[in-house]
Amino acid sequence: KQEVTQIPAALSVPEGENLVLNCSFTDSAIYNLQWFRQDPGKGLTSLLLIQSSQREQTSGRLNASLDKSSGRSTLYIAASQPGDSATYLCAVIDAGNMLTFGGGTRLMVKP
Amino acid sequence: DTGVSQNPRHKITKRGQNVTFRCDPISEHNRLYWYRQTLGQGPEFLTYFQNEAQLEKSRLLSDRFSAERPKGSFSTLEIQRTEQGDSAMYLCASSSRGAVSTEAFFGQGTRLTVV
């Protein structure tokens, strides 16, 4: 059974810092990996999708990498802003298009 | 089409009552998922549909839960005889069975409170 772990569970940083969120998974036979953002009481907003044949994807200040063989993905946020404060979730997607989520990292960026 | 739509956004119900939630996926998406999320946790899979066929159900989905997608478009999730433990955010997502991208898009969720 696939298990997804996100470390750290919570993170507080001052504005302007670069930061890295980690996601690990136990079964490397994944199809894709997707990072989401969730604001309190809201649904999930897709940030980046990395296909299994790719090693990274970039969108603005976000960069996500994927190392299938080691079962790891990282989300890099450059020059963090208070508006980045949210919970960040990673989900691995198997060949049946099923998403398995980690517990999330709650990020707070202080002005 | 602006994305996945879920209704209602909030539902408060008394224990023992039945509730029904609706999800309207992105129109060209043939896969539809239901997830449940409790406070401080990641979403947990409940069930998913490909077109009108319900292909998989989680063991979390007790016999009090039923989901339908009668015409392969919108879906409903019904919870019968609600219990306080059913209080959670219920999330719906859809994706396309494309050759390349299987990006999933989520709705805003329905927050259920059982009192």
Side-chain angles (χ1 to χ4, degrees):
Chain A
K1 180 193 172 196
Q2 179 75 267
E3 292 184 3
V4 182
T5 303
Q6 290 187 245
I7 294 173
L11 182 62
S12 180
V13 300
E15 182 177 4
E17 274 203 7
N18 302 326
L19 53 100
V20 175
L21 308 182
N22 297 292
C23 172
S24 62
F25 45 94
T26 55
D27 185 350
S28 62
I30 67 168
Y31 195 62
N32 294 326
L33 185 143
Q34 195 167 352
W35 282 93
F36 295 88
R37 169 186 173 136
Q38 186 174 34
D39 293 295
K42 305 292 186 182
L44 278 63
T45 300
S46 179
L47 296 174
L48 290 163
L49 173 76
I50 310 177
Q51 295 168 20
S52 59
S53 58
Q54 299 173 321
R55 294 197 59 92
E56 66 179 284
Q57 279 284 350
T58 298
S59 176
R61 295 182 293 107
L62 304 180
N63 176 275
S65 66
L66 174 63
D67 184 342
K68 277 185 59 176
S69 61
S70 66
R72 294 179 185 174
S73 176
T74 60
L75 179 67
Y76 175 82
I77 303 176
S80 58
Q81 302 171 358
D84 295 330
S85 298
T87 295
Y88 291 81
L89 293 154
C90 74
V92 297
I93 305 168
D94 63 23
N97 266 8
M98 299 302 303
L99 290 84
T100 303
F101 284 87
T105 294
R106 293 183 302 281
L107 172 66
M108 176 166 290
V109 181
K110 300 177 182 177
Chain B
D1 186 80
T2 57
V4 179
S5 176
Q6 291 189 246
N7 288 288
R9 292 291 309 279
H10 305 275
K11 178 72 177 179
I12 300 174
T13 191
K14 292 183 178 179
R15 189 174 51 190
Q17 298 294 305
N18 299 342
V19 294
T20 300
F21 310 141
R22 177 176 170 128
C23 172
D24 288 272
I26 293 171
S27 58
E28 65 268 25
H29 285 183
N30 62 342
R31 289 182 183 259
L32 186 147
Y33 309 80
W34 285 100
Y35 282 78
R36 180 173 70 184
Q37 186 179 29
T38 53
L39 200 61
Q41 304 296 316
E44 296 175 295
F45 168 74
L46 291 178
T47 188
Y48 92 93
F49 294 83
Q50 183 172 314
N51 300 312
E52 67 275 10
Q54 187 173 20
L55 296 187
E56 193 159 341
K57 292 170 60 174
S58 164
R59 284 172 289 180
L60 292 174
L61 214 66
S62 75
D63 56 5
R64 296 185 298 106
F65 288 70
S66 63
E68 294 183 344
R69 194 183 183 196
K71 297 183 179 179
S73 56
F74 73 91
S75 175
T76 57
L77 177 68
E78 181 183 16
I79 308 174
Q80 296 182 326
R81 305 181 303 282
T82 52
E83 302 173 356
Q84 287 187 322
D86 297 331
S87 295
M89 174 79 89
Y90 289 84
L91 295 162
C92 176
S94 69
S95 70
S96 173
R97 193 184 176 191
V100 177
S101 172
T102 58
E103 189 171 6
F105 296 90
F106 279 77
Q108 289 298 300
T110 294
R111 178 163 296 284
L112 173 67
T113 302
V114 181
V115 297

